[in-house]
Amino acid sequence: MSSRLPGFSSAWKRFSSTSTFTAKSVPSKTHLHKPIPDEAFPKGYALNGVHCGVKKDPTVLDLAVILSTSPNPTSAAACFTRNTFKAAPVVVSQEVLDKSAGRVRALVINSGCANAVTGKQGTEDAWAMVRATDALLDPKPTGNETLVMSTGVIGQTLPISKIVSGIQASTSLGSGFAAWERAARAFMTTDTFPKLRARTFTLGGKQFHMAGMDKGAGMIHPNMGPPHATLLGCIMTDAAVSHRSLQSALTYAVDRSFNSISVDGDMSTNDTIVVLANGAAYPEAVEIDEHTDQATYEAFRDELTSFAQNLAQLVVRDGEGATKFVTVSVDGAASYEDAHKIASRISTSALVKTALYGEDANWGRVLAATGSIPLSTPLDPTRVSVSFIPTDGGGPLPLLVNGEPENVDEARASEILSAEDLEVRVELGLGNESAKYWTCDFSYVRI
Amino acid sequence: MSSRLPGFSSAWKRFSSTSTFTAKSVPSKTHLHKPIPDEAFPKGYALNGVHCGVKKDPTVLDLAVILSTSPNPTSAAACFTRNTFKAAPVVVSQEVLDKSAGRVRALVINSGCANAVTGKQGTEDAWAMVRATDALLDPKPTGNETLVMSTGVIGQTLPISKIVSGIQASTSLGSGFAAWERAARAFMTTDTFPKLRARTFTLGGKQFHMAGMDKGAGMIHPNMGPPHATLLGCIMTDAAVSHRSLQSALTYAVDRSFNSISVDGDMSTNDTIVVLANGAAYPEAVEIDEHTDQATYEAFRDELTSFAQNLAQLVVRDGEGATKFVTVSVDGAASYEDAHKIASRISTSALVKTALYGEDANWGRVLAATGSIPLSTPLDPTRVSVSFIPTDGGGPLPLLVNGEPENVDEARASEILSAEDLEVRVELGLGNESAKYWTCDFSYVRI
């Protein structure tokens, strides 16, 4: 018995016939880190990653400094964790962003210690990191122009003198792939590869660049080293964007990227995504603003969103123990918020995630997750459809159509489910709004 | 690095020193099923459990019938799943309860097939079960007086003729332990033992009885047989209680019991908890009602709540792969709802549950979960404390006091964490409201 489709017994038996279980091996993800040509990176940034001593192993990088060297003004925007227990770097970065009215030229990140639940000392240490990095800026800032991020152990104070020394020694900054890669490596905690991407894009016939890095979430194993789940990311572009429009664009992008991934379903004290826009691509840069040129703003916003989705998806792919990358699409919702809520619920359901790991075409679990949250427009069970979308170019495989179970082609379902990438699509039949979420399977095993 | 407390390295190393991992074996739970003396069961109930053929194995029971034989009126109340996709038995039971104004004398349950997402046929089948069971009642009812529950595969129709034949053949009903146990066994799907309990209680100097059974939730393994997560339970008492007060008492009790356990965090299409009160303890029974005798009502409500908690806790203890039984207490909240929300968030956090499995004193994860949901009264991080409460009679072990990490006795923490039962207590410092949740660990293992 199972809530699988009738006739799914053969796929099922592989998982139910014995009480012990041979787990699938988790595929290596290191091929996802690739060299990027120097010219793909945005102009006007200097950066580095070093070992300053937060981590014990001297070969492991733990501190990154990123400076804007653009002659044009640099805008910054950020999205911070909504957790009530905000770590010191979050509180300090928020204050820097507010006081500078979004004019920020630097970013400093350490891994190995989260500087969270560290009281007054923690706040002082975060400010010390800001001031030390401010001092690297040319021209010298009048106020503070550095944002700070930390990831690692909770409840321990930073080895702040080591970090400040490391920042002060960061004078040999680079701007090519090697420098970006060192910065990305300094972000890493349990990540199995540095998550670095760059892209070239065109706005109004002119070429711009965007590069970014992030570090991952999903650490759900008691035997893993660092059991923190912080999501940090930064994106740098050489386009010129006004602060308020950069914030609008980032909020929109983060909602559809970093807020649309599920690895372990928790929200850390340190989660932070930052974007800098320095206008270095063109000396005569005029800042993009949604109120003066809506079309260009939206084009930029969509580039940022798509790029943020790429970075966020790397985190899902590197989810600890993940063997599958699953896109959950919810279509036909009455509002984006409803669609996003359902996509989130499905993506974080342990029952759905274990069914995906088991390669079980279990629309019952998808349906139960779909129906389990209150929405602004109530669902009509007779309008809901569920299908699998393969990544091999084939058409969708309907499992449930308007509330009625389909008689499914078992061989085809097994084929789709055995792939590393697949999409689960839920159609609500209530409107025209959609949302996507990216999740991985739970490689839960029986003991 | 980890978010564990400073000095926790020895406990930690057990889990981090190698990349492969020897999982703890899940302890057997069958000792939790014990014989119960016949006289502990409520008077005026006749019941049985049989094999009718929903399940293949003829030695496995799959159908239970429970009748009230009391000369006094029997009241019924129920709490149903809030999932939008309600299975046919849920819809039909709700209608029976409404139309009978809470006068219901029978209950029929099948396992092996959930009769969910089965369209019109499903509704007809659920009604057929109701009518066949109504026919067993003496005196014959004028309307319908049977509630129906199903659990098992989703999307398949019931073998209804087998079930109706099974009901019709259910004439040799008993009232002692053997009969109750057979009924409890017919509930089981992936449960490793029948979940049956009884108790004697006193109201106004008179003795009454209560007995109940439930079946469990936590099936989170792709290699388990039936991947449904339905929670079914029923409680029968020989006290006399008016329908409306029985419903008030059950709603209160379910909120604090079945709605306060977390095994896999999902809510099925079939979840149902039913209570019957038949007044059979005393021929001259006057119905307890909250509007005529508040004190007696509250005494009954509290008995029901405590009994429902016992039944609900059995489900947590039988959670698939669970090695620990953890009570999460949230105290000092401004409202019960806020306390319940936080307790729920902590109890369903994969990061918290894996830390418990890893016996890691990880207050960072507890704190992150605590801070991750919006509340009606916002938290003040400087007032939050976290402690572990041992089950060996020792005092609480504070981990975080008013937002500041404690210097913890490592040996004592290891002792507390290595026990099968423990309590995690979070004090918010905002008010006088409390809530408790019961959860198990996630025996997630690295592959």
Side-chain angles (χ1 to χ4, degrees):
Chain A
M1 283 142 308
S2 82
S3 22
R4 72 186 185 282
L5 292 170
F8 260 73
S9 51
S10 69
W12 187 251
K13 272 180 199 138
R14 280 184 286 148
F15 299 96
S16 59
S17 54
T18 56
S19 71
T20 54
F21 181 68
T22 308
K24 291 182 284 184
S25 65
V26 177
S28 163
K29 319 289 169 67
T30 50
H31 64 280
L32 295 169
H33 177 55
K34 284 171 275 197
I36 298 170
D38 288 349
E39 62 270 24
F41 291 98
K43 294 177 186 170
Y45 290 97
L47 59 171
N48 203 2
V50 299
H51 171 82
C52 76
V54 188
K55 296 179 176 176
K56 276 182 192 164
D57 183 344
T59 66
V60 176
L61 308 186
D62 54 17
L63 179 71
V65 169
I66 304 175
L67 307 182
S68 167
T69 58
S70 174
N72 289 318
T74 301
S75 293
C79 290
F80 298 105
T81 183
R82 296 192 191 106
N83 199 298
T84 307
F85 303 95
K86 289 177 175 54
V90 169
V91 173
V92 167
S93 290
Q94 215 151 12
E95 193 173 328
V96 168
L97 203 58
D98 290 348
K99 287 200 178 157
S100 68
R103 293 301 188 189
V104 157
R105 283 181 289 160
L107 198 53
V108 59
I109 302 114
N110 77 275
S111 56
C113 176
N115 192 11
V117 201
T118 43
K120 278 184 191 169
Q121 185 63 48
T123 312
E124 282 172 27
D125 291 348
W127 279 116
M129 288 175 71
V130 167
R131 283 191 304 268
T133 313
D134 280 341
L136 299 175
L137 287 168
D138 178 27
K140 294 274 169 292
T142 48
N144 299 112
E145 292 197 32
T146 298
L147 302 180
V148 53
M149 305 200 258
S150 299
T151 177
V153 194
I154 292 183
Q156 289 185 8
T157 52
L158 292 173
I160 189 63
S161 59
K162 287 181 188 173
I163 291 180
V164 167
S165 301
I167 295 170
Q168 287 164 343
S170 293
T171 46
S172 61
L173 303 171
S175 59
F177 174 65
W180 283 85
E181 195 203 23
R182 286 182 69 84
R185 285 196 186 275
F187 264 67
M188 290 168 67
T189 52
T190 53
D191 307 70
T192 66
F193 62 92
K195 297 175 177 61
L196 173 66
R197 287 292 183 269
R199 73 159 63 171
T200 301
F201 62 101
T202 305
L203 290 177
K206 287 179 179 169
Q207 269 199 356
F208 298 89
H209 307 90
M210 201 176 263
M213 49 192 90
D214 60 358
K215 68 150 299 256
M219 31 235 66
I220 24 185
H221 296 261
N223 62 329
M224 287 199 41
H228 42 76
T230 289
L231 186 70
L232 297 185
C234 60
I235 299 173
M236 276 67 69
T237 178
D238 52 16
V241 188
S242 74
H243 163 63
R244 66 176 176 185
S245 288
L246 193 61
Q247 186 63 56
S248 307
L250 184 66
T251 302
Y252 181 95
V254 166
D255 203 30
R256 285 153 182 83
S257 56
F258 296 100
N259 283 345
S260 294
I261 59 172
S262 156
V263 181
D264 54 45
D266 275 353
M267 179 166 59
S268 100
T269 51
N270 291 60
D271 293 351
T272 303
I273 309 293
V274 165
V275 59
L276 299 182
N278 70 1
Y282 300 95
E284 74 293 5
V286 175
E287 288 190 336
I288 296 167
D289 191 281
E290 57 198 305
H291 299 288
T292 55
D293 183 352
Q294 175 88 15
T296 305
Y297 164 75
E298 285 182 4
F300 171 76
R301 181 198 69 188
D302 293 349
E303 284 292 343
L304 185 68
T305 302
S306 151
F307 188 70
Q309 285 171 346
N310 286 358
L311 285 179
Q313 288 167 12
L314 289 179
V315 173
V316 178
R317 290 198 183 271
D318 203 15
E320 190 64 36
T323 72
K324 289 192 191 299
F325 177 82
V326 183
T327 303
V328 175
S329 302
V330 176
D331 296 327
S335 69
Y336 170 73
E337 288 66 31
D338 280 357
H340 194 259
K341 263 191 200 171
I342 293 176
S344 167
R345 189 72 194 78
I346 296 169
S347 300
T348 53
S349 162
L351 290 171
V352 170
K353 287 163 78 110
T354 52
L356 289 167
Y357 178 74
E359 303 183 358
D360 177 21
N362 199 317
W363 54 264
R365 291 186 181 187
V366 173
L367 207 64
T370 301
S372 67
I373 39 162
L375 300 171
S376 58
T377 304
L379 291 179
D380 175 352
T382 67
R383 293 193 194 180
V384 175
S385 302
V386 178
S387 53
F388 285 163
I389 316 292
T391 46
D392 60 7
L397 183 77
L399 303 172
L400 185 83
V401 175
N402 294 325
E404 296 287 335
E406 284 289 288
N407 199 352
V408 175
D409 175 352
E410 176 178 351
R412 181 62 182 143
S414 293
E415 238 172 48
I416 294 175
L417 282 161
S418 64
E420 193 179 325
D421 284 28
L422 79 132
E423 180 177 342
V424 177
R425 188 179 292 171
V426 177
E427 163 66 44
L428 305 180
L430 296 174
N432 296 312
E433 296 295 329
S434 297
K436 277 190 198 299
Y437 233 83
W438 294 276
T439 189
C440 56
D441 56 343
F442 256 2
S443 49
Y444 232 114
V445 300
R446 184 164 189 154
I447 298 157
Chain B
M1 284 143 306
S2 82
S3 24
R4 71 186 186 280
L5 293 169
F8 260 74
S9 51
S10 70
W12 187 250
K13 272 179 199 139
R14 281 184 286 148
F15 299 98
S16 59
S17 55
T18 56
S19 70
T20 54
F21 182 69
T22 308
K24 292 182 285 186
S25 65
V26 177
S28 163
K29 320 290 169 68
T30 51
H31 64 279
L32 295 169
H33 177 56
K34 284 171 274 197
I36 299 170
D38 287 349
E39 61 270 24
F41 290 97
K43 295 177 185 170
Y45 290 97
L47 59 171
N48 203 0
V50 298
H51 171 81
C52 76
V54 188
K55 295 180 177 177
K56 277 182 190 163
D57 182 343
T59 66
V60 176
L61 309 186
D62 54 19
L63 178 72
V65 169
I66 304 174
L67 306 182
S68 167
T69 58
S70 174
N72 290 319
T74 301
S75 293
C79 291
F80 298 106
T81 183
R82 295 190 192 109
N83 199 298
T84 307
F85 302 96
K86 290 178 173 56
V90 169
V91 174
V92 167
S93 290
Q94 216 151 12
E95 191 172 330
V96 168
L97 203 59
D98 290 347
K99 287 199 178 157
S100 69
R103 292 302 188 189
V104 156
R105 284 182 288 160
L107 198 54
V108 60
I109 302 114
N110 77 275
S111 56
C113 176
N115 193 12
V117 202
T118 43
K120 278 184 191 172
Q121 185 62 48
T123 312
E124 281 171 30
D125 291 348
W127 280 116
M129 288 175 71
V130 167
R131 284 190 305 268
T133 313
D134 279 342
L136 300 175
L137 285 168
D138 178 27
K140 293 273 168 293
T142 48
N144 299 112
E145 292 198 34
T146 298
L147 302 181
V148 54
M149 303 199 259
S150 299
T151 177
V153 193
I154 291 183
Q156 289 186 8
T157 52
L158 292 171
I160 189 63
S161 59
K162 288 181 187 173
I163 291 179
V164 167
S165 302
I167 296 169
Q168 287 164 344
S170 292
T171 46
S172 62
L173 303 172
S175 59
F177 173 66
W180 284 84
E181 195 202 24
R182 286 181 69 83
R185 285 195 187 276
F187 263 68
M188 291 168 66
T189 52
T190 53
D191 306 71
T192 67
F193 63 91
K195 297 176 176 60
L196 173 66
R197 288 291 182 270
R199 73 160 60 172
T200 301
F201 62 100
T202 305
L203 289 178
K206 287 179 176 169
Q207 268 199 357
F208 298 89
H209 307 90
M210 201 176 265
M213 50 193 89
D214 60 359
K215 68 149 298 255
M219 31 235 67
I220 23 183
H221 295 262
N223 62 330
M224 286 199 43
H228 42 75
T230 289
L231 186 70
L232 296 184
C234 60
I235 300 173
M236 277 66 69
T237 178
D238 53 16
V241 188
S242 73
H243 161 64
R244 65 176 176 183
S245 287
L246 194 61
Q247 186 64 56
S248 307
L250 184 66
T251 302
Y252 181 95
V254 166
D255 202 30
R256 285 155 182 80
S257 56
F258 296 100
N259 283 345
S260 294
I261 60 172
S262 156
V263 180
D264 54 46
D266 275 353
M267 180 166 60
S268 100
T269 52
N270 291 59
D271 293 351
T272 303
I273 309 293
V274 165
V275 59
L276 299 181
N278 69 2
Y282 300 95
E284 75 293 4
V286 175
E287 288 190 335
I288 296 167
D289 191 281
E290 57 198 304
H291 299 287
T292 55
D293 183 353
Q294 175 88 13
T296 305
Y297 164 75
E298 285 182 4
F300 171 76
R301 182 198 68 187
D302 293 347
E303 283 292 344
L304 185 68
T305 302
S306 150
F307 188 69
Q309 284 171 345
N310 286 357
L311 285 178
Q313 287 167 12
L314 289 179
V315 172
V316 178
R317 289 198 183 273
D318 203 15
E320 189 65 36
T323 71
K324 290 192 189 298
F325 177 82
V326 182
T327 302
V328 174
S329 301
V330 176
D331 296 327
S335 69
Y336 171 74
E337 289 66 30
D338 279 357
H340 194 260
K341 260 192 203 171
I342 293 177
S344 167
R345 190 70 193 81
I346 295 170
S347 300
T348 54
S349 161
L351 289 172
V352 170
K353 287 164 78 112
T354 52
L356 289 166
Y357 178 74
E359 302 183 359
D360 177 20
N362 199 316
W363 53 263
R365 292 186 181 187
V366 173
L367 209 64
T370 301
S372 68
I373 39 162
L375 300 171
S376 58
T377 304
L379 292 180
D380 175 351
T382 67
R383 294 193 194 181
V384 175
S385 302
V386 178
S387 52
F388 286 163
I389 317 292
T391 47
D392 59 7
L397 183 76
L399 304 172
L400 185 83
V401 176
N402 295 324
E404 297 286 335
E406 285 288 288
N407 199 353
V408 176
D409 175 352
E410 176 179 351
R412 181 62 181 142
S414 292
E415 237 171 51
I416 294 175
L417 282 161
S418 65
E420 192 178 326
D421 284 29
L422 79 133
E423 180 177 341
V424 176
R425 188 179 292 170
V426 177
E427 163 66 45
L428 305 181
L430 297 174
N432 296 313
E433 296 296 328
S434 297
K436 277 189 198 301
Y437 233 84
W438 296 276
T439 189
C440 56
D441 56 344
F442 256 0
S443 49
Y444 232 113
V445 298
R446 183 165 188 151
I447 297 157

